[in-house]
Amino acid sequence: MTVIILLIIAGLILLILEFFVFPGITVAGIGGLVLVGTAVFIGYDTYGSPTGNIILALTLFAMLVVLGMALRANTWNKLMLKTTLSGKIETVSEETIKPGDKGITISRLNPIGKALINNFDVEAHCPGSFVDPGTKIEVVKVFKTYVIVKPEN
């Protein structure tokens, strides 16, 4: 009887892993079904039909209880990561920076870096070339989160 109980418990653990950790049809799900099926088969084979029916009923009941407990929200809240993102994306307004405006690079544009244009720190892209810090630049195009620049002639 101990072997049957251990097989059922191991099968239930594998099935829970299948539902929540390894989605899809994996070895855990197939293994869990095989272990639970083997336990019920051993119960019928060893103890006969009446006891086998009881083992089958208790196994199905245990599956429902374990699945119900696993689906409760508080069960997984203990395991969840509770982090928040506090960063934000700086947007470039077309009223503050326009094509043709002049500025200076703060960091090296390799080809992306930081630039100071109209007293605003912005992300600047200089496609096709690298620009050293402190170089005077001119805005070519303004996008929502960055500007395209070129070195000033």
Side-chain angles (χ1 to χ4, degrees), residues 1-5 39-53 55:
M1 190 60 115
T2 306
V3 172
I4 294 172
I5 294 171
V40 172
F41 176 77
I42 290 172
Y44 274 106
D45 191 44
T46 305
Y47 299 107
S49 291
T51 306
N53 289 336
I55 292 172

PDB file of all heavy atoms in Angstrom, residues 1-5 39-53 55:
ATOM      1  N   MET A   1       0.822  -1.190   0.000  1.00  0.00           N
ATOM      2  CA  MET A   1       0.000   0.000   0.000  1.00  0.00           C
ATOM      3  C   MET A   1       0.873   1.265   0.000  1.00  0.00           C
ATOM      4  O   MET A   1       0.476   2.266  -0.584  1.00  0.00           O
ATOM      5  CB  MET A   1      -0.929  -0.017   1.228  1.00  0.00           C
ATOM      6  CG  MET A   1      -1.980   1.046   1.182  1.00  0.00           C
ATOM      7  SD  MET A   1      -3.053   0.933  -0.226  1.00  0.00           S
ATOM      8  CE  MET A   1      -4.590   0.589   0.514  1.00  0.00           C
ATOM      9  N   THR A   2       2.046   1.205   0.636  1.00  0.00           N
ATOM     10  CA  THR A   2       2.955   2.348   0.671  1.00  0.00           C
ATOM     11  C   THR A   2       3.437   2.698  -0.728  1.00  0.00           C
ATOM     12  O   THR A   2       3.548   3.875  -1.071  1.00  0.00           O
ATOM     13  CB  THR A   2       4.161   2.043   1.591  1.00  0.00           C
ATOM     14  OG1 THR A   2       3.674   1.643   2.862  1.00  0.00           O
ATOM     15  CG2 THR A   2       5.048   3.248   1.737  1.00  0.00           C
ATOM     16  N   VAL A   3       3.704   1.680  -1.537  1.00  0.00           N
ATOM     17  CA  VAL A   3       4.169   1.916  -2.908  1.00  0.00           C
ATOM     18  C   VAL A   3       3.092   2.641  -3.705  1.00  0.00           C
ATOM     19  O   VAL A   3       3.388   3.583  -4.450  1.00  0.00           O
ATOM     20  CB  VAL A   3       4.551   0.572  -3.580  1.00  0.00           C
ATOM     21  CG1 VAL A   3       4.834   0.771  -5.044  1.00  0.00           C
ATOM     22  CG2 VAL A   3       5.726  -0.060  -2.876  1.00  0.00           C
ATOM     23  N   ILE A   4       1.848   2.245  -3.522  1.00  0.00           N
ATOM     24  CA  ILE A   4       0.744   2.894  -4.241  1.00  0.00           C
ATOM     25  C   ILE A   4       0.640   4.360  -3.839  1.00  0.00           C
ATOM     26  O   ILE A   4       0.512   5.247  -4.691  1.00  0.00           O
ATOM     27  CB  ILE A   4      -0.583   2.139  -3.971  1.00  0.00           C
ATOM     28  CG1 ILE A   4      -0.509   0.735  -4.573  1.00  0.00           C
ATOM     29  CG2 ILE A   4      -1.774   2.906  -4.516  1.00  0.00           C
ATOM     30  CD1 ILE A   4      -1.665  -0.156  -4.202  1.00  0.00           C
ATOM     31  N   ILE A   5       0.724   4.645  -2.564  1.00  0.00           N
ATOM     32  CA  ILE A   5       0.626   6.030  -2.071  1.00  0.00           C
ATOM     33  C   ILE A   5       1.788   6.872  -2.597  1.00  0.00           C
ATOM     34  O   ILE A   5       1.599   8.002  -3.046  1.00  0.00           O
ATOM     35  CB  ILE A   5       0.566   6.055  -0.528  1.00  0.00           C
ATOM     36  CG1 ILE A   5      -0.742   5.409  -0.067  1.00  0.00           C
ATOM     37  CG2 ILE A   5       0.680   7.478   0.006  1.00  0.00           C
ATOM     38  CD1 ILE A   5      -0.817   5.172   1.427  1.00  0.00           C
ATOM     39  N   ALA A  39      -0.145   3.249 -10.228  1.00  0.00           N
ATOM     40  CA  ALA A  39      -0.605   3.079  -8.842  1.00  0.00           C
ATOM     41  C   ALA A  39      -2.026   2.514  -8.807  1.00  0.00           C
ATOM     42  O   ALA A  39      -2.317   1.597  -8.033  1.00  0.00           O
ATOM     43  CB  ALA A  39      -0.539   4.415  -8.105  1.00  0.00           C
ATOM     44  N   VAL A  40      -2.911   3.032  -9.647  1.00  0.00           N
ATOM     45  CA  VAL A  40      -4.292   2.535  -9.678  1.00  0.00           C
ATOM     46  C   VAL A  40      -4.311   1.086 -10.192  1.00  0.00           C
ATOM     47  O   VAL A  40      -5.023   0.234  -9.644  1.00  0.00           O
ATOM     48  CB  VAL A  40      -5.177   3.464 -10.541  1.00  0.00           C
ATOM     49  CG1 VAL A  40      -6.556   2.863 -10.757  1.00  0.00           C
ATOM     50  CG2 VAL A  40      -5.290   4.839  -9.897  1.00  0.00           C
ATOM     51  N   PHE A  41      -3.509   0.798 -11.217  1.00  0.00           N
ATOM     52  CA  PHE A  41      -3.451  -0.579 -11.741  1.00  0.00           C
ATOM     53  C   PHE A  41      -2.959  -1.557 -10.676  1.00  0.00           C
ATOM     54  O   PHE A  41      -3.515  -2.643 -10.513  1.00  0.00           O
ATOM     55  CB  PHE A  41      -2.533  -0.633 -12.966  1.00  0.00           C
ATOM     56  CG  PHE A  41      -2.350  -2.020 -13.509  1.00  0.00           C
ATOM     57  CD1 PHE A  41      -3.347  -2.609 -14.268  1.00  0.00           C
ATOM     58  CD2 PHE A  41      -1.198  -2.744 -13.233  1.00  0.00           C
ATOM     59  CE1 PHE A  41      -3.189  -3.893 -14.762  1.00  0.00           C
ATOM     60  CE2 PHE A  41      -1.028  -4.024 -13.713  1.00  0.00           C
ATOM     61  CZ  PHE A  41      -2.031  -4.609 -14.489  1.00  0.00           C
ATOM     62  N   ILE A  42      -1.909  -1.167  -9.949  1.00  0.00           N
ATOM     63  CA  ILE A  42      -1.391  -2.032  -8.872  1.00  0.00           C
ATOM     64  C   ILE A  42      -2.470  -2.240  -7.806  1.00  0.00           C
ATOM     65  O   ILE A  42      -2.623  -3.330  -7.264  1.00  0.00           O
ATOM     66  CB  ILE A  42      -0.103  -1.446  -8.261  1.00  0.00           C
ATOM     67  CG1 ILE A  42       1.049  -1.534  -9.262  1.00  0.00           C
ATOM     68  CG2 ILE A  42       0.275  -2.169  -6.977  1.00  0.00           C
ATOM     69  CD1 ILE A  42       2.306  -0.817  -8.810  1.00  0.00           C
ATOM     70  N   GLY A  43      -3.246  -1.190  -7.508  1.00  0.00           N
ATOM     71  CA  GLY A  43      -4.326  -1.303  -6.535  1.00  0.00           C
ATOM     72  C   GLY A  43      -5.368  -2.312  -6.976  1.00  0.00           C
ATOM     73  O   GLY A  43      -5.803  -3.161  -6.190  1.00  0.00           O
ATOM     74  N   TYR A  44      -5.790  -2.241  -8.241  1.00  0.00           N
ATOM     75  CA  TYR A  44      -6.762  -3.208  -8.758  1.00  0.00           C
ATOM     76  C   TYR A  44      -6.166  -4.621  -8.788  1.00  0.00           C
ATOM     77  O   TYR A  44      -6.827  -5.595  -8.417  1.00  0.00           O
ATOM     78  CB  TYR A  44      -7.200  -2.829 -10.180  1.00  0.00           C
ATOM     79  CG  TYR A  44      -8.344  -1.856 -10.227  1.00  0.00           C
ATOM     80  CD1 TYR A  44      -8.126  -0.520 -10.577  1.00  0.00           C
ATOM     81  CD2 TYR A  44      -9.634  -2.251  -9.947  1.00  0.00           C
ATOM     82  CE1 TYR A  44      -9.165   0.376 -10.640  1.00  0.00           C
ATOM     83  CE2 TYR A  44     -10.692  -1.363 -10.004  1.00  0.00           C
ATOM     84  CZ  TYR A  44     -10.453  -0.042 -10.348  1.00  0.00           C
ATOM     85  OH  TYR A  44     -11.493   0.841 -10.392  1.00  0.00           O
ATOM     86  N   ASP A  45      -4.919  -4.724  -9.247  1.00  0.00           N
ATOM     87  CA  ASP A  45      -4.291  -6.045  -9.409  1.00  0.00           C
ATOM     88  C   ASP A  45      -4.032  -6.715  -8.060  1.00  0.00           C
ATOM     89  O   ASP A  45      -4.227  -7.916  -7.915  1.00  0.00           O
ATOM     90  CB  ASP A  45      -2.979  -5.884 -10.182  1.00  0.00           C
ATOM     91  CG  ASP A  45      -2.400  -7.216 -10.620  1.00  0.00           C
ATOM     92  OD1 ASP A  45      -3.187  -8.063 -11.100  1.00  0.00           O
ATOM     93  OD2 ASP A  45      -1.176  -7.394 -10.472  1.00  0.00           O
ATOM     94  N   THR A  46      -3.590  -5.939  -7.075  1.00  0.00           N
ATOM     95  CA  THR A  46      -3.205  -6.517  -5.789  1.00  0.00           C
ATOM     96  C   THR A  46      -4.398  -6.719  -4.854  1.00  0.00           C
ATOM     97  O   THR A  46      -4.507  -7.753  -4.204  1.00  0.00           O
ATOM     98  CB  THR A  46      -2.161  -5.610  -5.091  1.00  0.00           C
ATOM     99  OG1 THR A  46      -1.072  -5.408  -5.974  1.00  0.00           O
ATOM    100  CG2 THR A  46      -1.671  -6.238  -3.803  1.00  0.00           C
ATOM    101  N   TYR A  47      -5.283  -5.727  -4.792  1.00  0.00           N
ATOM    102  CA  TYR A  47      -6.336  -5.751  -3.779  1.00  0.00           C
ATOM    103  C   TYR A  47      -7.732  -6.057  -4.331  1.00  0.00           C
ATOM    104  O   TYR A  47      -8.683  -6.136  -3.582  1.00  0.00           O
ATOM    105  CB  TYR A  47      -6.360  -4.421  -3.017  1.00  0.00           C
ATOM    106  CG  TYR A  47      -5.066  -4.147  -2.294  1.00  0.00           C
ATOM    107  CD1 TYR A  47      -4.191  -3.183  -2.746  1.00  0.00           C
ATOM    108  CD2 TYR A  47      -4.720  -4.883  -1.164  1.00  0.00           C
ATOM    109  CE1 TYR A  47      -2.997  -2.936  -2.086  1.00  0.00           C
ATOM    110  CE2 TYR A  47      -3.537  -4.639  -0.494  1.00  0.00           C
ATOM    111  CZ  TYR A  47      -2.670  -3.670  -0.971  1.00  0.00           C
ATOM    112  OH  TYR A  47      -1.489  -3.429  -0.318  1.00  0.00           O
ATOM    113  N   GLY A  48      -7.879  -6.166  -5.643  1.00  0.00           N
ATOM    114  CA  GLY A  48      -9.177  -6.495  -6.222  1.00  0.00           C
ATOM    115  C   GLY A  48      -9.985  -5.260  -6.584  1.00  0.00           C
ATOM    116  O   GLY A  48      -9.589  -4.117  -6.333  1.00  0.00           O
ATOM    117  N   SER A  49     -11.158  -5.512  -7.177  1.00  0.00           N
ATOM    118  CA  SER A  49     -11.998  -4.428  -7.700  1.00  0.00           C
ATOM    119  C   SER A  49     -12.531  -3.466  -6.641  1.00  0.00           C
ATOM    120  O   SER A  49     -12.466  -2.249  -6.842  1.00  0.00           O
ATOM    121  CB  SER A  49     -13.173  -5.005  -8.489  1.00  0.00           C
ATOM    122  OG  SER A  49     -12.695  -5.588  -9.673  1.00  0.00           O
ATOM    123  N   PRO A  50     -13.070  -3.931  -5.515  1.00  0.00           N
ATOM    124  CA  PRO A  50     -13.618  -2.947  -4.549  1.00  0.00           C
ATOM    125  C   PRO A  50     -12.551  -1.977  -4.029  1.00  0.00           C
ATOM    126  O   PRO A  50     -12.764  -0.760  -3.991  1.00  0.00           O
ATOM    127  CB  PRO A  50     -14.173  -3.810  -3.426  1.00  0.00           C
ATOM    128  CG  PRO A  50     -14.380  -5.162  -4.017  1.00  0.00           C
ATOM    129  CD  PRO A  50     -13.358  -5.287  -5.096  1.00  0.00           C
ATOM    130  N   THR A  51     -11.399  -2.504  -3.662  1.00  0.00           N
ATOM    131  CA  THR A  51     -10.316  -1.644  -3.157  1.00  0.00           C
ATOM    132  C   THR A  51      -9.733  -0.805  -4.293  1.00  0.00           C
ATOM    133  O   THR A  51      -9.384   0.362  -4.098  1.00  0.00           O
ATOM    134  CB  THR A  51      -9.212  -2.497  -2.496  1.00  0.00           C
ATOM    135  OG1 THR A  51      -9.813  -3.330  -1.511  1.00  0.00           O
ATOM    136  CG2 THR A  51      -8.163  -1.620  -1.853  1.00  0.00           C
ATOM    137  N   GLY A  52      -9.650  -1.380  -5.491  1.00  0.00           N
ATOM    138  CA  GLY A  52      -9.177  -0.617  -6.651  1.00  0.00           C
ATOM    139  C   GLY A  52     -10.078   0.557  -6.954  1.00  0.00           C
ATOM    140  O   GLY A  52      -9.603   1.652  -7.298  1.00  0.00           O
ATOM    141  N   ASN A  53     -11.396   0.351  -6.831  1.00  0.00           N
ATOM    142  CA  ASN A  53     -12.339   1.454  -7.047  1.00  0.00           C
ATOM    143  C   ASN A  53     -12.145   2.558  -6.016  1.00  0.00           C
ATOM    144  O   ASN A  53     -12.228   3.744  -6.332  1.00  0.00           O
ATOM    145  CB  ASN A  53     -13.782   0.940  -6.993  1.00  0.00           C
ATOM    146  CG  ASN A  53     -14.129   0.096  -8.200  1.00  0.00           C
ATOM    147  OD1 ASN A  53     -13.513   0.227  -9.254  1.00  0.00           O
ATOM    148  ND2 ASN A  53     -15.111  -0.786  -8.043  1.00  0.00           N
ATOM    149  N   ILE A  55      -9.310   3.213  -4.412  1.00  0.00           N
ATOM    150  CA  ILE A  55      -8.037   3.881  -4.741  1.00  0.00           C
ATOM    151  C   ILE A  55      -8.241   4.847  -5.903  1.00  0.00           C
ATOM    152  O   ILE A  55      -7.747   5.979  -5.877  1.00  0.00           O
ATOM    153  CB  ILE A  55      -6.945   2.836  -5.048  1.00  0.00           C
ATOM    154  CG1 ILE A  55      -6.570   2.066  -3.782  1.00  0.00           C
ATOM    155  CG2 ILE A  55      -5.716   3.493  -5.663  1.00  0.00           C
ATOM    156  CD1 ILE A  55      -5.651   0.885  -4.020  1.00  0.00           C
TER     157      ILE A  55
END
